[in-house]
Amino acid sequence: MTTLLLMVPLLGLCAGQFSPNVACGRTSIVHLFEWRWEDIAEECERYLGPNGFGGVQISPPNENVIITNPNRPWWERYQPISYKICTRSGDEQQFRDMVTRCNSVGVHIYVDAVINHMCGSGVGKGTSSTCGSYYDSDNRNFSAVPYSFHDFNDKKCKTGSGNIEDYRDADQVRDCRLVSLLDLALEKGYIREKIADYMNKLIDIGVAGFRLDAAKHMWPGDIQAIVTKLHNLNTKWFPEGSRPFIFQEVIDLGGEGISAKEYFDIGRITEFKYGAKLGKVIRKWDNEKMAYLRNWGEGWGFMPTDRAVVFVDNHDNQRGHGAGGASILTFFDARLYKMAVAFMLAHPYGFTRVMSSFSWPRYIVNGKDINDWEGPPSYSNGSTKAVTINEDTTCGNGWVCEHRWRQIKNMVIFRNVVNGQALTNWWDNGENQAAFGRGNAGFIVFNNDNGDMDVTLKTGLPAGTYCDVISGQKEGACCTGTKINVSSDGSAHFTISSSAEDPFIAIHINAKL
Ligand code: QV4
Ligand code: CA
């Protein structure tokens, strides 16, 4: 009875579109970029559920145009043709099956919702779309929705080209075409209804929330009007009255006509400064060093922690699209990348999203990756290849599966274990050796200097022997990695060679031997 009474205000606190709606004790989501619904369902059951992942951000599930020049780029999925659930990732039946199976193991689904626009103005007409629906970009005709000429912003936009030309002008950014994508007139009741119908269908199937693609290109009032129309989450899996989690893709690095805070009332926002700055620190560019991470978060000019969705890289900036520039760390820089992801997952700031990629033949010419368009691993008929799992638990068929790298997977668990604990016992050497704890639940130490590290630090952890979850992990009563002894005063001795494969160590109370 007392427990029940106590739970009521707690649930109240978590209500609203800011709560990620992850199952109790889970704290991160993973973006399974371009994965098939069938593979995601399997991954929820065999890996994400058992390893404490809270959810999956999926690629846009609605019908898109098929681009053949270049040949089936990943970005064709950001050119909608209709709201039918029908893409290279699978059809509606497979989508429903994925949502049910993932929810059943406590892993929720977050949909990438492309609602600012339809396809590019120059794609032409026909039925070359993932479900065969007719479109005519010249006449703005999308008969499967249906949308027609009147539903787009062509008359409203004031630029000569009809495209966004100056990001300092908020009107252009919202009312003109983003890279020629046909811009929807979201103030119209009819369009808001079509979009809300699409999102409500997904909510009723059982998804937990949405990434709003290109949110900066939509007026906050228009987004709010659509969000207000959304159903509560399906009570088969979520508490009565749960609102869909909303996180908006607003790239705000400063210096533009639009700032992220205009969107704070609607939901969370992607904090793009996070990965750009962390990349600089870990790469030691611009004289940045790990010692400066002492006040990481709002202290670095980031948005409030309860508004931020954070990530080291995303599907755009890992290949030079979007924002962040060359400092962004990706799986291509695996050693530094693991450190950055571990730092993110250990640090309390923001709601964390882990990236999971497919590989491509990156080829940088004059600072630009000329293969930045390359789509997911696929067969010659264009169908996406399955994610296969190798004996050593890594993925095959061209899927990178960063979320399965031991260091990253174990840090997702670390974050769950230390959830709710404050950042404590910060230490640094003034350079690139740094460490911090999370209350009495976990501790992490980095050596990103050129010299070796040999220090005794206060961890805050109870005395005992712990298994480092970076060099190995606790398996039953054994530790496959380095063992760390915490003495009765909570201090422990750490040595990390600057040439170590992974120059960092993480311990937590669930990895106590
Ligand atoms: C090109 C020219 C146009 C020209 C047009 C003529 O750029 O000026 O008018 O040809 O036909 C693709 C091509 C792009 C092409 C466009 C239209 O890359 O060259 O225009 O199609 O045919 C992804 C890709 C884009 C891609 C788009 C649609 O990144 O390259 O465009 O999908 O297929 C800003 C925004 C931010 C955005 C980011 C990339 O503020 O919102 O740019 N991020 C999101 C997604 C991103 C997606 C979109 C938005 C669009 O994360 O993946 O863009 O939905 O920072
Ligand atoms: Ca717009």
Side-chain angles (χ1 to χ4, degrees):
M1 186 60 187
T2 352
T3 351
L4 262 182
L5 281 176
L6 278 173
M7 274 177 68
V8 175
L10 269 181
L11 284 175
L13 266 183
C14 293
Q17 58 274 32
F18 309 100
S19 160
N21 296 321
V22 280
C24 186
R26 299 181 187 245
T27 57
S28 301
I29 60 172
V30 55
H31 182 194
L32 296 181
F33 178 47
E34 283 279 6
W35 280 43
R36 298 150 72 240
W37 310 149
E38 274 180 87
D39 292 327
I40 294 177
E42 295 281 337
E43 190 70 352
C44 284
E45 293 172 344
R46 73 189 162 201
Y47 199 85
L48 302 176
N51 285 301
F53 286 79
V56 181
Q57 179 186 315
I58 60 165
S59 284
N62 65 300
E63 180 173 23
N64 61 263
V65 74
I66 291 178
I67 303 269
T68 51
N69 183 23
N71 185 24
R72 306 300 308 266
W74 63 269
W75 44 255
E76 68 172 41
R77 293 185 75 162
Y78 290 89
Q79 303 202 23
I81 293 298
S82 81
Y83 299 124
K84 291 181 187 164
I85 303 175
C86 188
T87 60
R88 277 210 274 185
S89 286
D91 61 20
E92 184 172 329
Q93 194 40 52
Q94 290 160 331
F95 182 88
R96 287 178 181 274
D97 184 58
M98 164 186 72
V99 173
T100 303
R101 288 167 63 189
C102 290
N103 278 339
S104 303
V105 293
V107 182
H108 297 148
I109 299 294
Y110 301 83
V111 170
D112 195 348
V114 186
I115 59 174
N116 169 67
H117 52 263
M118 300 300 280
C119 64
S121 64
V123 301
K125 60 182 171 208
T127 53
S128 175
S129 48
T130 51
C131 225
S133 296
Y134 180 77
Y135 59 89
D136 176 350
S137 68
D138 299 334
N139 292 306
R140 277 66 170 143
N141 178 7
F142 297 89
S143 50
V145 180
Y147 286 144
S148 70
F149 207 88
H150 312 284
D151 297 322
F152 294 87
N153 276 332
D154 298 285
K155 290 212 183 75
K156 217 179 291 158
C157 170
K158 301 283 188 306
T159 66
S161 63
N163 294 335
I164 300 164
E165 293 171 4
D166 183 353
Y167 272 81
R168 287 169 305 183
D169 176 353
D171 289 351
Q172 285 189 30
V173 175
R174 266 91 175 235
D175 292 341
C176 295
R177 298 180 311 218
L178 166 62
V179 293
S180 94
L181 300 163
L182 296 174
D183 206 54
L184 285 164
L186 296 174
E187 78 281 5
K188 292 185 70 177
Y190 172 75
I191 298 179
R192 291 176 177 178
E193 249 159 60
K194 284 292 165 191
I195 291 171
D197 286 351
Y198 164 55
M199 294 170 78
N200 278 331
K201 177 173 177 171
L202 301 170
I203 289 171
D204 295 347
I205 290 174
V207 309
F210 300 92
R211 166 191 186 264
L212 296 189
D213 179 67
K216 186 166 77 182
H217 305 279
M218 302 188 271
W219 293 94
D222 290 339
I223 300 181
Q224 190 67 271
I226 292 166
V227 167
T228 307
K229 288 180 187 295
L230 298 182
H231 296 168
N232 288 340
L233 299 186
N234 191 324
T235 52
K236 184 160 179 214
W237 291 291
F238 302 94
E240 190 102 29
S242 302
R243 295 300 293 158
F245 178 44
I246 300 292
F247 64 105
Q248 307 162 92
E249 190 225 7
V250 177
I251 302 178
D252 175 7
L253 299 175
E256 290 186 13
I258 293 167
S259 67
K261 63 174 183 296
E262 296 172 48
Y263 295 82
F264 284 176
D265 290 344
I266 305 170
R268 289 201 186 226
I269 295 103
T270 49
E271 178 51 279
F272 275 84
K273 290 174 186 158
Y274 194 102
K277 293 283 187 190
L278 191 54
K280 282 192 177 168
V281 173
I282 303 292
R283 290 181 189 274
K284 299 186 248 186
W285 287 1
D286 298 352
N287 290 316
E288 294 287 4
K289 40 185 82 159
M290 289 198 84
Y292 299 159
L293 295 172
R294 179 183 284 269
N295 66 338
W296 184 245
E298 289 94 341
W300 277 60
F302 301 167
M303 62 185 73
T305 181
D306 63 353
R307 287 295 175 274
V309 168
V310 298
F311 44 93
V312 172
D313 60 330
N314 82 343
H315 71 282
D316 283 329
N317 64 19
Q318 68 171 197
R319 46 174 54 70
H321 287 232
S327 75
I328 297 297
L329 287 166
T330 70
F331 67 88
F332 284 115
D333 315 281
R335 187 168 181 268
L336 298 182
Y337 186 68
K338 284 179 277 183
M339 261 196 273
V341 175
F343 181 85
M344 173 182 83
L345 291 169
H347 194 282
Y349 179 84
F351 181 69
T352 45
R353 178 180 65 193
V354 171
M355 181 68 202
S356 188
S357 318
F358 58 79
S359 189
W360 75 94
R362 186 172 67 164
Y363 190 53
I364 298 179
V365 181
N366 298 325
K368 187 194 174 328
D369 176 4
I370 59 169
N371 290 330
D372 66 342
W373 59 271
E374 190 103 19
S378 56
Y379 297 102
S380 53
N381 68 2
S383 63
T384 301
K385 286 187 183 172
V387 177
T388 51
I389 306 299
N390 303 321
E391 216 158 302
D392 65 358
T393 78
T394 60
C395 297
N397 262 350
W399 301 95
V400 181
C401 290
E402 296 92 313
H403 69 287
R404 279 176 167 260
W405 294 2
R406 183 189 64 243
Q407 301 84 343
I408 292 178
K409 178 259 297 180
N410 282 343
M411 286 308 297
V412 167
I413 295 171
F414 179 107
R415 191 175 191 76
N416 292 343
V417 173
V418 304
N419 189 23
Q421 303 269 351
L423 192 157
T424 45
N425 294 312
W426 176 275
W427 172 89
D428 64 68
N429 70 344
E431 294 294 329
N432 290 293
Q433 298 181 353
F436 62 95
R438 295 291 303 277
N440 54 11
F443 196 76
I444 190 161
V445 191
F446 296 88
N447 178 16
N448 198 26
D449 267 345
N450 295 328
D452 295 344
M453 179 181 202
D454 188 338
V455 286
T456 298
L457 299 172
K458 201 170 166 239
T459 67
L461 293 179
T465 303
Y466 292 79
C467 184
D468 168 29
V469 298
I470 303 304
S471 54
Q473 57 197 10
K474 186 182 161 201
E475 282 170 15
C478 305
C479 174
T480 59
T482 310
K483 287 181 193 163
I484 302 291
N485 290 306
V486 174
S487 58
S488 54
D489 67 351
S491 65
H493 183 222
F494 297 93
T495 55
I496 305 177
S497 157
S498 61
S499 59
E501 185 187 345
D502 294 308
F504 59 109
I505 290 175
I507 53 178
H508 60 72
I509 43 172
N510 286 7
K512 194 169 180 232
L513 296 166

